[in-house]
Amino acid sequence: MILNMEVIEHVAEPEAYLLACLGLLAPGGLMIVATLNRTLKSLALAKIGAEYVLRWLPMGAHDWRKFLKPDEIRGFVAGESVTVSGPFGVEFNPLTGVWSRSNDVDINYMMTIARP
């Protein structure tokens, strides 16, 4: 299994990075990709809220233009013999400090990529 947890939006060439990770995925393997969605909601909450208001992250840690939409992830792997599932939403409860699965993919989401 390969975990790609909120890294892909920080690399210079996300498609090349994702394909390189897929090259390491053995038959029967599973890759989990987690990233931020490029929406106005993610700009407001994940970028501005987390960096500038709550200061959970250093200011400038994220470039909203590099956030990826689920269809972009699908497009990057379209020529590969893999099965893509998702997106699956995730949400953070700041009162409990707990992440949980959600139907909302507007901010963060996960996708799985399996090699048969």
Side-chain angles (χ1 to χ4, degrees), residues 55-112:
R55 300 194 183 238
W56 288 343
L57 302 165
M59 287 186 255
H62 290 101
D63 180 348
W64 179 79
R65 297 166 296 182
K66 290 186 170 189
F67 290 8
L68 296 163
K69 294 184 171 286
D71 285 344
E72 292 173 300
I73 301 287
R74 279 191 174 77
F76 293 160
V77 301
E80 300 293 314
S81 59
V82 295
T83 302
V84 180
S85 299
F88 311 101
V90 291
E91 64 185 9
F92 180 71
N93 182 331
L95 299 177
T96 63
V98 174
W99 287 94
S100 60
R101 186 169 173 174
S102 164
N103 292 325
D104 183 358
V105 298
D106 290 343
I107 300 173
N108 298 68
Y109 66 90
M110 294 184 183
M111 297 176 80
T112 61

Side-chain angles (χ1 to χ4, degrees), residues 44-60:
L45 298 177
K47 171 69 178 161
I48 297 169
E51 292 181 20
Y52 295 90
V53 177
L54 297 172
R55 300 194 183 238
W56 288 343
L57 302 165
M59 287 186 255

